Structure formats: C-alpha cells, structure tokens
Amino acid sequence: MDTTSIRHDWTVKEARAIYELPLTELIHRAQTVHRAHHPADAVQLCTLLSIKTGACPEDCAYCPQSSKYETEVQAEKLLSVDEVLASARKARDAGASRFCMGAAWRGPKSGSEQFERVLQMVRGVRELGLEACATLGMLTDEQARKLKEAGLTAYNHNIDTSKEFYGQIITTRQFEERLETLRAVSDAGIRICSGGIIGMGEAIGDRIAMLVTLANLDPHPESVPINALVAVAGTPLEGRDPVHPIEMARMCATARILMPKAMVRLSAGRTEMSEEAQLLCIVAGANSIFYGEKLLTTGNPEVEADLEMMRRAGLRALVPADAEAGREAPETRELPSAAQAR
Ligand code: SAM
Ligand code: DTB
Ligand code: SF4
C-alpha cells in the first residue's frame, strides 16, 4: 500500500472496501498511513466554547440549539470578549492548543457589532498563543476574509452526512450551501475543519459517501471531526440507538486512510464510550479530541479522566505543524498535571 500519496479521486466503492476490511487489517493500514504523516504517540487537545447558545433559526434534527425544538437548552446572548478570553486562558493552562468558538447562528451578520466582537475574540485567542477555530454557520467571502485577517486558524463547518441523506436531517439549508461556505473559507486561506455525525439513521453507504465528499476536496480538510450523535431529549433524533464503538473506530480509520494528513478528531459521543473504545479509535487513526467538561451544550469526559486515559496509554499532547506560526514540524508536549488542568 502506498502510504504517502494524497488522492482526491476516491470512489465510494474503494472507500467502502476499506471501511469493511477485517478490523485487524483496517487498523494496520490506518496505523501505517498515520505513522507516515503524524507522530504516533500524541493527540491534539482542542477546547470548545459555545459563545452564543440556542435560539438558532435552522432545523438540524440532531441539534438541541434549534429554536424549532423544545429542549433544555436556555438561549443566551453572545458572550463578551472578556468572558471568552477567560475561558481560552483556562483552556490553554489546562494544556489545550486549540480553542474553538461555536455560535448557534445560520451565519454571522456582516458589519454587526456581534461579528466585530467575534473578530476581537479571534484576535484575543491568537494573542494567548492558541490556535483559533470558529463555527458560526454560513459565511460570505468577505466574512471569511475578515476572519482570516483577525488570525483565524481554522473554520469548522460540517457537511454532517451524505448529500442524499442530508434532506432528512436539515431542510432550512442545502448541502451545496455547506460546500459553498467551505469554498469561501478555503479561498480566504483559512484551513477547513469539516466532518460529520453518525448514528442519525443513515445507512453505511451515507457515512462512506460523506467521507468520500470530504476526501475529494482539494486540499483535504485540515481536520475531520467524527461525531457520534448525542441524542438529546426534545430533538427529532431523541431516543436513537447509540453508535457501536467499532463503527466509530471504522470511521476514524477510513478517514485516516482517505485523508492521510488530516487531524481526525474523535468528537461528540465520548461520554458514552469506554476508555478502551476511545483508545481503539485513537489506535485506528484519530489524533485529536475535544478536551474540557463540555462540548457546546452537552457533556464531555472530565479533564482529569482524559489526562488519565492519555497517561495510561503513554500519549502526549500534539501541536500540529504550522509554518505560519514558525512550526515546520508537529510538536509533542508533556501532558499538564491534574493540578495545572484544574
Ligand atoms: N451553527 C453552526 C453550524 O451548524 O454550522 C455551528 C455550530 S453546530 C452546533 C456545529 C456542529 O456540531 C454541527 O455541524 C454538528 O455536526 C455538530 N453537532 C451538533 N449537535 C450535535 C449532536 N447532538 N450530536 C453530535 N454532533 C452534533
Ligand atoms: C464538531 O464536529 N463537533 C463539535 C464542534 N465540531 C463544534 C460540536 C459537538 C456538539 C455536540 C452537541 C452539543 O454539545 O451541543
Ligand atoms: Fe443551528 Fe448549527 Fe444547531 Fe444547526 S447545528 S440548529 S445551524 S446551531
């Protein structure tokens, strides 16, 4: 197997054959690709913060923040720059290297005080020495350029599922609009973070088609978050069966093989997974996690538990290469002590 070539012409058939390999073979292949492009002993720690929670006009069936569904999420106004930077400082001191800010918007309003505030947040996060990521919904070219000027490292915008299944999950925007925002982000010189969710009732073929869409973007996304649905009460997807951890591991491994250089992020759903299952995903090629007690509105493993898991497995903190920041190669760092992380 050629572990170094980067391809943008994957077919669904090829990707499915990879996904369905015997697990032992799949993991061997994913590890081989992983080691050709990344340190084998380190995981990137990214901390999420919901900077504007709830009351979103979109109807994403998985999302507790949509105004269309009655959930326990209480709508909140956009946080202040000081509040966000206090959280970012705490995340940095706890060992995170990336800080990701999420807003429950269809998209930002150009020229608004709110968008200007987000730009200030991005500048502030960068000044703290952290990578800055944001997920604010659809962007125009001009908004993407402004975020780039402010120093944004990456923009998260998930395609979520296959083009075919998309309409069953979201009706207030189209799959093509997602791709259009990804194009604007990429044109502005911001790195793309894009992945999806499994466990929403989609077929295996939809999961594969989603990975193939991402893998055929040129360049590949810098990060690919693989989320297991968090089935929140009040959303249309409440009560869905949990995703089997082996399916998460297969998704991580397939993403790793299709997109060798990407950071594959084991994202939502970790609270439902055993430590062994999470480590299997890491062995299968995931090399990034969300680190901190909360995702956006739902829970995530305790910081201490994540540090213990990583220590037991002999893993370090990964800081990806970033030529703009003067890091020609990825760095690995000591994990913080539990006291530093508190
Ligand atoms: N509003 C913006 C948007 O949708 O582009 C940004 C925030 S949105 C919450 C970011 C991503 O979180 C979604 O695209 C989806 O993939 C993921 N997400 C949201 N709710 C989730 C859930 N219940 N389980 C798993 N992933 C979820
Ligand atoms: C991503 O792919 N997953 C994160 C992040 N990108 C923004 C969000 C997960 C949200 C899970 C549900 C919640 O906490 O509200
Ligand atoms: Fe709104 Fe984003 Fe939630 Fe969809 S996923 S309802 S766009 S916050």
Side-chain angles (χ1 to χ4, degrees), residues 58-63 135 137 156-179 182 192-214 217 221 223-230 237 251 267-268 296:
E58 305 282 291
D59 70 352
C60 312
Y62 49 75
C63 188
T135 181
N156 166 255
H157 201 64
N158 291 339
I159 61 169
D160 281 334
T161 189
S162 69
K163 182 173 173 3
E164 291 69 32
F165 191 67
Y166 195 84
Q168 295 198 37
I169 298 296
I170 302 152
T171 69
T172 49
R173 53 171 150 67
Q174 307 299 309
F175 190 76
E176 282 71 20
E177 292 178 285
R178 294 304 265 187
L179 297 178
L182 292 178
I192 289 175
C193 168
S194 189
I197 308 178
I198 67 170
M200 302 189 293
E202 73 288 341
I204 302 289
D206 293 305
R207 299 177 184 176
I208 308 290
M210 171 182 94
L211 290 179
V212 167
T213 299
L214 295 169
L217 294 175
S223 305
V224 180
I226 305 290
N227 296 276
L229 174 72
V230 181
L237 299 182
M251 285 298 285
S267 301
L296 292 172

Side-chain angles (χ1 to χ4, degrees), residues 65-78:
Q65 302 199 68
S66 165
S67 60
K68 317 272 184 202
Y69 318 126
E70 286 284 323
T71 69
E72 282 183 359
V73 170
Q74 299 289 320
E76 284 168 25
K77 292 213 169 84
L78 181 66

Side-chain angles (χ1 to χ4, degrees), residues 15-23 26 204 208 250 254:
R16 187 161 189 139
I18 293 171
Y19 181 93
E20 289 177 345
L21 282 169
L23 192 65
L26 177 61
I204 302 289
I208 308 290
R250 286 188 179 278
T254 309

Side-chain angles (χ1 to χ4, degrees), residues 297-340:
T297 66
T298 66
N300 199 42
E302 301 276 328
V303 157
E304 283 85 357
D306 277 344
L307 292 175
E308 269 178 42
M309 170 175 81
M310 289 180 63
R311 257 194 210 100
R312 252 193 290 275
L315 296 169
R316 292 164 61 84
L318 175 60
V319 188
D322 181 358
E324 273 179 43
R327 242 185 346 272
E328 296 299 332
E331 280 174 15
T332 74
R333 296 181 185 160
E334 286 286 320
L335 294 178
S337 66
Q340 284 170 309

Side-chain angles (χ1 to χ4, degrees), residues 16-252:
R16 187 161 189 139
I18 293 171
Y19 181 93
E20 289 177 345
L21 282 169
L23 192 65
T24 44
E25 178 63 23
L26 177 61
I27 288 183
H28 173 69
R29 286 216 209 172
Q31 267 292 321
T32 309
V33 173
H34 194 141
R35 283 154 187 264
H37 298 277
H38 304 272
D41 65 343
V43 171
Q44 179 193 33
L45 302 176
C46 307
T47 296
L48 266 175
L49 176 68
S50 180
I51 59 170
K52 191 267 163 191
T53 304
C56 183
E58 305 282 291
D59 70 352
C60 312
Y62 49 75
C63 188
Q65 302 199 68
S66 165
S67 60
K68 317 272 184 202
Y69 318 126
E70 286 284 323
T71 69
E72 282 183 359
V73 170
Q74 299 289 320
E76 284 168 25
K77 292 213 169 84
L78 181 66
L79 297 182
S80 70
V81 175
D82 286 349
E83 284 170 305
V84 172
L85 296 186
S87 290
R89 200 170 292 114
K90 195 161 171 268
R92 182 193 62 185
D93 294 346
S97 58
R98 175 171 287 195
F99 191 70
C100 180
M101 295 165 275
W105 285 332
R106 178 173 163 83
K109 287 197 183 60
S110 287
S112 64
E113 185 278 327
Q114 298 207 329
F115 187 55
E116 292 302 317
R117 214 191 295 174
V118 172
L119 296 175
Q120 262 183 278
M121 293 171 190
V122 171
R123 283 184 213 106
V125 168
R126 297 296 280 142
E127 279 163 17
L128 288 170
L130 287 159
E131 291 190 336
C133 180
T135 181
L136 316 169
M138 296 193 259
L139 292 185
T140 63
D141 287 296
E142 199 207 344
Q143 289 168 341
R145 273 196 301 275
K146 291 212 158 128
L147 286 163
K148 173 69 186 172
E149 274 165 29
L152 193 73
T153 313
Y155 192 77
N156 166 255
H157 201 64
N158 291 339
I159 61 169
D160 281 334
T161 189
S162 69
K163 182 173 173 3
E164 291 69 32
F165 191 67
Y166 195 84
Q168 295 198 37
I169 298 296
I170 302 152
T171 69
T172 49
R173 53 171 150 67
Q174 307 299 309
F175 190 76
E176 282 71 20
E177 292 178 285
R178 294 304 265 187
L179 297 178
E180 184 51 29
T181 290
L182 292 178
R183 187 209 45 77
V185 168
S186 192
D187 284 357
I190 301 170
R191 295 187 237 164
I192 289 175
C193 168
S194 189
I197 308 178
I198 67 170
M200 302 189 293
E202 73 288 341
I204 302 289
D206 293 305
R207 299 177 184 176
I208 308 290
M210 171 182 94
L211 290 179
V212 167
T213 299
L214 295 169
N216 290 344
L217 294 175
D218 188 4
H220 285 162
E222 178 250 3
S223 305
V224 180
I226 305 290
N227 296 276
L229 174 72
V230 181
V232 180
T235 64
L237 299 182
E238 165 180 9
R240 287 263 159 200
D241 287 341
V243 166
H244 196 286
I246 300 296
E247 296 185 16
M248 281 299 270
R250 286 188 179 278
M251 285 298 285
C252 292

